[in-house]
Amino acid sequence: FAGAAADEVADPRPYAELMRQWSSFHPEFSYLPRKFKIAVIASEKDRAAMRLHDIGIRIVKRGEELGAQFYAGGGMGRTPMIAPLIRDFVPLDQLITYAEACLRVYNRYGRRDNKYKARIKILVHELGAAEYTRQVEEEFAHMLAQGVEPPREELARIAAFFADPPFVDGPKSIDRSNPAFDAWVKANTHRHKHDSYVSAVISLKPAGGIPGDATAEQMRVMARLAKQYSFDELRVMHTQNVLLPHVAIADLPAVWAELDAAGLAAANMDTIEDIIACPGLDYCSLANARSIPLAQRISEKFAATGKSAALGELKLKISGCINACGHHHAGHIGILGVDKKGRENYQLSLGGSEAEDVSLAKITGPGFDEDGVIAAVEKVTDVYLARREDGERFLDTYRRIGMEPFKEALYV
Ligand code: SF4
């Protein structure tokens, strides 16, 4: 939603692009101990799993001044970690200098002897956040004197590529008497910084479908809609959906009607049907177990019983192995495929979040076979429905009552 959302203090994309251009082919960082991922956001809401990146940056406002909060050492994979805050305000004209200091310390001390311990999260964890920060600050002070920051004109040059499209004022509301249209607007549209527009999520999660898949014809429909109604722009989301970032509110009925005709109007964002699933054993040579058929069966089951709507926000994520491409550590409900003596088995975990209330999910206990894990998800959601208090999401109830009631339902 970057550059379109109503709640951002700035458009984070020029800063992300500045960092991309700075870091690509940077001679000092062309042989880092391992891969490195940076996320930049500019709102309280975290829609980019920011603290689960090697470096996470949140652009914030202090008085009238914009600056950056820096987090370092997050990640998923076999050793999931939440990045601690290492600096709560870096003036934006020192952004690259501070990032360079973070990378220098990692480049100097990150382990190269063991690829599983070579990520920055291990360094930050082993040194401790305070010591890592001390070293970064020392390096930062040294580099400020050297003047490595690109000139301001460079940011302005890049920002010009992210200029707003020519928005026009129009209606701020629309007739929503059609219940199906109303449900889609509620679930799939997000507030835009221009009040005559919204950002509209195209769900690639039809009940029983393969998460993130679209047919050639559906892709043509999305391309046409982007051209006609969203200034020729669509974005692929990490949630395996597609976003039309700038849709005039007046155009929503037409957009929805075309999506509906193409089988793309599922109104199920952030529900248990909106599952993130990695390719798993169907495609991936590293997998222990299949992810896709599991996602299909779960979404079909919950959609058919109508339970999905009753559950509200519930993020379920599936990975076919510990590499965690399906972000299972950060699922309200996470499922991990494991190998049990040559058979597919699934570990269930609860309580993860990749949003601003970030947390890592905890394993419930012994794993299940495919039928068993689907039944387990059902039991877990039953506990939630029985125990939730007013307005609580699944995650809130889990945090309030803890793991025990869920374990009792699963294993007793
Ligand atoms: S999590 Fe594992 S199985 Fe799934 S795509 Fe990644 S490497 Fe492959």
Side-chain angles (χ1 to χ4, degrees), residues 278-281 284-289 291 318-326:
C278 81
L281 198 55
C284 177
S285 60
L286 302 172
N288 291 320
S291 306
I318 308 173
S319 303
C321 81
I322 195 62
N323 287 327
C325 304

Side-chain angles (χ1 to χ4, degrees), residues 91-411:
L92 283 185
D93 57 4
Q94 298 171 356
L95 179 78
I96 295 297
T97 311
Y98 201 82
E100 191 152 336
C102 291
L103 262 91
R104 262 195 190 180
V105 174
Y106 169 53
N107 197 29
R108 194 174 298 150
Y109 299 115
R111 289 178 59 167
R112 288 180 161 83
D113 60 321
N114 178 338
K115 73 172 182 173
Y116 298 121
K117 295 189 185 288
R119 298 286 295 272
I120 190 175
K121 59 189 173 186
I122 304 294
L123 179 71
V124 173
H125 181 70
E126 286 183 352
L127 284 179
E131 174 57 17
Y132 173 76
T133 306
R134 189 193 65 73
Q135 295 194 23
V136 169
E137 291 290 337
E138 205 174 277
E139 194 65 41
F140 179 54
H142 169 66
M143 289 170 61
L144 272 181
Q146 289 184 330
V148 301
E149 196 71 25
R152 296 301 291 169
E153 302 77 57
E154 188 54 13
L155 180 65
R157 183 187 71 79
I158 290 171
F161 287 95
F162 296 96
D164 280 344
F167 298 127
V168 289
D169 287 340
K172 321 272 186 254
S173 61
I174 195 96
D175 174 16
R176 287 164 59 171
S177 51
N178 177 339
F181 174 61
D182 180 56
W184 180 79
V185 172
K186 249 189 216 133
N188 292 37
T189 63
H190 284 245
R191 216 152 68 77
H192 196 280
K193 65 184 180 186
H194 190 296
D195 60 4
S196 303
Y197 289 78
V198 291
S199 299
V201 181
I202 301 174
S203 169
L204 298 185
K205 313 285 175 65
I210 296 173
D213 268 22
T215 64
E217 184 47 39
Q218 286 176 325
M219 286 191 248
R220 285 193 192 95
V221 170
M222 290 190 278
R224 196 173 63 243
L225 290 176
K227 192 166 190 179
Q228 198 171 344
Y229 297 111
S230 187
F231 299 97
D232 215 0
E233 183 174 347
L234 60 72
R235 302 178 186 176
V236 173
M237 303 169 74
H238 85 275
T239 52
Q240 301 176 321
N241 294 305
V242 166
L243 182 75
L244 297 174
H246 318 290
V247 180
I249 289 172
D251 291 333
L252 281 174
V255 170
W256 174 76
E258 286 212 42
L259 289 174
D260 194 35
L264 289 167
N268 56 8
M269 288 304 87
D270 296 334
T271 70
I272 196 167
E273 295 168 41
D274 186 16
I275 297 170
I276 294 181
C278 81
L281 198 55
D282 291 294
Y283 297 99
C284 177
S285 60
L286 302 172
N288 291 320
R290 288 166 300 160
S291 306
I292 291 171
L294 201 55
Q296 290 176 281
R297 287 184 62 189
I298 292 171
S299 77
E300 191 165 36
K301 185 181 179 94
F302 280 82
T305 56
K307 204 168 162 188
S308 159
L311 290 169
E313 182 185 314
L314 206 172
K315 298 184 182 179
L316 194 151
K317 304 175 198 279
I318 308 173
S319 303
C321 81
I322 195 62
N323 287 327
C325 304
H327 296 186
H328 66 279
H329 299 300
H332 297 180
I333 298 177
I335 297 176
L336 166 65
V338 292
D339 178 287
K340 193 175 177 191
K341 296 181 185 146
R343 280 180 293 118
E344 292 169 275
N345 199 260
Y346 296 94
Q347 255 177 17
L348 190 68
S349 53
L350 305 178
S353 170
E354 61 186 12
E356 58 284 0
D357 57 355
V358 62
S359 58
L360 297 173
K362 290 201 171 68
I363 297 168
T364 56
F368 306 89
D369 63 13
E370 185 178 327
D371 289 342
V373 79
I374 293 169
V377 170
E378 179 106 52
K379 284 181 190 163
V380 160
T381 55
D382 286 342
V383 172
Y384 160 62
L385 289 176
R387 300 287 300 270
R388 76 172 162 193
E389 292 181 353
D390 271 1
E392 273 186 344
R393 303 168 301 161
F394 174 87
L395 187 61
D396 303 324
T397 303
Y398 169 82
R399 286 175 175 169
R400 179 173 55 78
I401 68 177
M403 178 66 95
E404 223 34 55
F406 295 97
K407 274 183 141 169
E408 273 169 31
L410 288 171
Y411 299 109

